[in-house]
Amino acid sequence: MTYGMTQPVQQRELIDGFNRRVDYVRLSVTDRCDFRCVYCMAEEMTFLPRADILSLEELHRVARVFVSLGVTRIRLTGGEPLVRPGIEKLAAWIAAEPGLEELTLTTNAGRLASKATALRAAGVKRLNISLDSLDETRFRALTRTGNLADVLAGIQAAREAGFERIRLNSVIMRGRNDDEVLALTAFALENGLDIAFIEEMPLGAIDDHNRAEMFVSSEELRDTLAQRYTLLPATDGTAGPSRYWRVAGESGRIGFISPHSHNFCHLCNRVRVTVEGRLLLCLGNEHSVDLKPLLREHPEDDAPLAQAIIAAMDIKPERHHFSHDDNAEQLVRFMNMTGG
Ligand code: SAM
Ligand code: SF4
């Protein structure tokens, strides 16, 4: 294989030191966001200077090199990807890469109503949409700046735009929204959507609440749901961290992402790239490689970038060590910087 104008790179797949194949990349297209969710950001955030973030062309180049190394799935995320100008253009460039099987995007849906059709046309196949409450006042409190009506309009527009699947993501916190688990699930199922409940992770120092006190395990949520629904294990789940259940008579599935109570690291097939071009090998560890100098020092030669990505596989950690027992922040990195 030849990149740009340079020497051949023979390797066509990414295998880490624990024999896991990396075929999935989460690419953060911005650290900025129009919301300030209490579990994700502090109220006052400092965002990156524009010169430090990758251009759309550089983001595309990173995606292209990963696809040339056997990556088949890319998720665009952030921050809020829909605040990045040109997101539709970037999606179309990446979706057109030969070898890429699926381009997906995670969004807060605040701006989705006006962008859903263009994103679908660009080639985004599936969407994850964050929704933690169906109560307007509470939604505002949890997101600090979000408007529920905009998000619901975004969800409706996404349904009409014909995405292959739409999944709601809900982070459940005790005393904040744990009483909405059934209502959120009913909303998802009525609209033919999947829903995944996510355990809060200790990413970044937040000032809003004590994460240990508000922790709700997936087991507890599943017990709550089992009182209302007959849950059948889904056999068509992806190899990712979500464990899915079907509900008799419904098309939507219920998933649980349980980094605390169910360790899925042995199945890990993914890496993340921040909008600064830092390749993160694990959500719960600091191991990383800075790709930006390689992009900028070799503007027409992708080989150094490809070699650095291949070499980085050797430092992908075996597992994360998230714990909800002690409230010590284990990572200084906020989720908006990580690319959720
Ligand atoms: N802004 C988009 C959104 O909210 O969907 C995409 C980025 S956001 C960082 C991706 C996902 O990470 C969201 O579903 C959000 O709920 C989740 N998230 C953020 N901080 C988290 C944390 N500390 N623990 C668990 N999930 C978190
Ligand atoms: Fe923004 Fe998403 Fe983080 Fe909420 S979870 S603050 S919407 S990046």
Side-chain angles (χ1 to χ4, degrees):
M1 188 188 324
T2 309
Y3 292 89
M5 307 160 44
T6 182
Q7 75 270 26
V9 173
Q10 300 300 344
Q11 194 160 334
R12 287 165 191 271
E13 56 180 14
L14 298 171
I15 309 280
D16 78 357
F18 301 93
N19 217 21
R20 295 171 298 193
R21 174 153 182 235
V22 171
D23 58 8
Y24 178 28
V25 174
R26 291 186 168 215
L27 184 58
S28 177
V29 302
T30 180
D31 62 325
R32 287 160 201 265
C33 187
D34 43 358
F35 291 7
R36 294 283 183 281
C37 300
V38 293
Y39 46 74
C40 179
M41 292 195 183
E43 196 149 16
E44 297 298 327
M45 292 287 288
T46 310
F47 295 109
L48 294 166
R50 290 196 192 272
D52 288 355
I53 70 169
L54 301 189
S55 66
L56 295 181
E57 288 75 12
E58 287 170 329
L59 288 166
H60 175 214
R61 213 175 140 204
V62 169
R64 192 178 72 216
V65 170
F66 270 106
V67 173
S68 76
L69 293 170
V71 163
T72 54
R73 275 172 70 201
I74 294 181
R75 175 173 295 281
L76 302 179
T77 183
E80 173 47 42
L82 302 193
V83 305
R84 178 85 199 237
I87 181 68
E88 301 91 337
K89 186 166 66 175
L90 177 66
W93 289 343
I94 296 177
E97 283 304 322
L100 186 76
E101 290 169 13
E102 192 177 60
L103 180 67
T104 60
L105 180 140
T106 302
T107 175
N108 65 27
R111 301 180 182 204
L112 190 56
S114 63
K115 292 188 184 278
T117 307
L119 288 168
R120 183 69 190 100
V124 176
K125 283 193 182 165
R126 290 190 294 124
L127 289 182
N128 283 358
I129 297 177
S130 301
L131 181 67
D132 301 326
S133 176
L134 288 165
D135 175 272
E136 204 179 316
T137 310
R138 191 183 272 183
F139 184 86
R140 171 57 64 98
L142 288 172
T143 59
R144 294 198 184 101
T145 57
N147 179 5
L148 180 63
D150 293 343
V151 171
L152 295 180
I155 292 172
Q156 184 56 27
R159 291 179 61 212
E160 289 164 11
F163 290 93
E164 289 181 7
R165 266 202 118 90
I166 301 172
R167 184 181 91 186
L168 303 182
N169 281 344
S170 300
V171 177
I172 299 297
M173 290 158 283
R174 194 173 306 285
R176 295 296 274 270
N177 63 347
D178 55 333
D179 57 344
E180 285 198 65
V181 170
L182 289 171
L184 286 162
T185 304
F187 174 82
L189 297 178
E190 277 159 21
N191 287 289
L193 313 174
D194 291 345
I195 184 163
F197 293 103
I198 307 175
E199 290 177 351
E200 185 176 357
M201 289 174 266
L203 296 174
I206 54 165
D207 47 16
D208 175 81
H209 60 273
N210 179 317
R211 281 175 164 142
E213 282 171 20
M214 291 207 177
F215 177 75
V216 184
S217 76
S218 297
E219 266 60 38
E220 182 179 333
L221 297 179
R222 206 176 51 227
D223 288 348
T224 306
L225 287 161
Q227 289 168 23
R228 164 84 63 92
Y229 300 105
T230 304
L231 301 178
L232 313 164
T235 47
D236 56 346
T238 59
S242 322
R243 289 170 298 154
Y244 280 108
W245 300 77
R246 285 207 164 281
V247 178
E250 303 284 355
S251 62
R253 300 173 304 169
I254 304 177
F256 299 93
I257 302 178
S258 327
H260 296 281
S261 53
H262 174 75
N263 186 283
F264 39 75
C265 299
H266 61 290
L267 296 173
C268 187
N269 65 340
R270 64 198 55 195
V271 293
R272 293 170 165 79
V273 181
T274 73
V275 71
E276 287 176 290
R278 183 162 286 278
L279 171 59
L280 302 175
L281 282 310
C282 172
L283 179 59
N285 284 283
E286 302 286 3
H287 303 61
S288 70
V289 174
D290 190 3
L291 302 178
K292 189 163 59 185
L294 299 165
L295 280 161
R296 297 201 171 161
E297 285 160 24
H298 306 276
E300 296 187 5
D301 182 359
D302 288 345
L305 182 59
Q307 295 291 10
I309 293 170
I310 293 166
M313 293 302 118
D314 289 343
I315 60 161
K316 184 168 165 59
E318 185 174 13
R319 55 165 299 172
H320 68 69
H321 295 276
F322 289 143
S323 159
H324 62 270
D325 297 331
D326 62 81
N327 203 39
E329 299 304 335
Q330 294 170 39
L331 281 183
V332 290
R333 208 171 58 217
F334 281 98
M335 193 64 153
N336 73 305
M337 276 305 302
T338 302

